Amino acid sequence: MYNPIFSSIMLAIESRRVIELRMVRLAWGGREGLAEAQSMVTEKVHAAGEAMITLMLGGSPETVIARYREHVAFNTKRLSAS
């Protein structure tokens, strides 16, 4: 039987850094804060749609979690660079 607990825990740990970086950017406000807020909403909607399509086409929850982790890694890199 499939057990996604490890991947889910890793996703939670990795997401913490993105949340921290985004909160700082939002707190500073201005154009960058507004752009980050808009980007955050757009990314969430896109990721949810992607997850739904993956599951509808027979993908596993592990595949969805792995893809979310890719998004988190990209955002960590993007937000850390600036």
Side-chain angles (χ1 to χ4, degrees), residues 8-58:
S8 297
I9 291 170
M10 290 305 299
L11 177 60
I13 291 168
E14 294 161 355
S15 296
R16 186 191 112 342
R17 178 71 176 146
V18 173
I19 293 167
E20 175 188 347
L21 292 167
R22 279 191 160 153
M23 291 284 92
V24 169
R25 188 163 290 187
L26 291 172
W28 278 102
R31 271 189 255 167
E32 287 185 5
L34 179 61
E36 189 60 37
Q38 291 171 338
S39 173
M40 189 168 54
V41 171
T42 302
E43 288 174 8
K44 301 277 186 227
V45 171
H46 181 264
E50 186 179 335
M52 180 182 65
I53 290 170
T54 299
L55 293 172
M56 287 175 57
L57 295 176

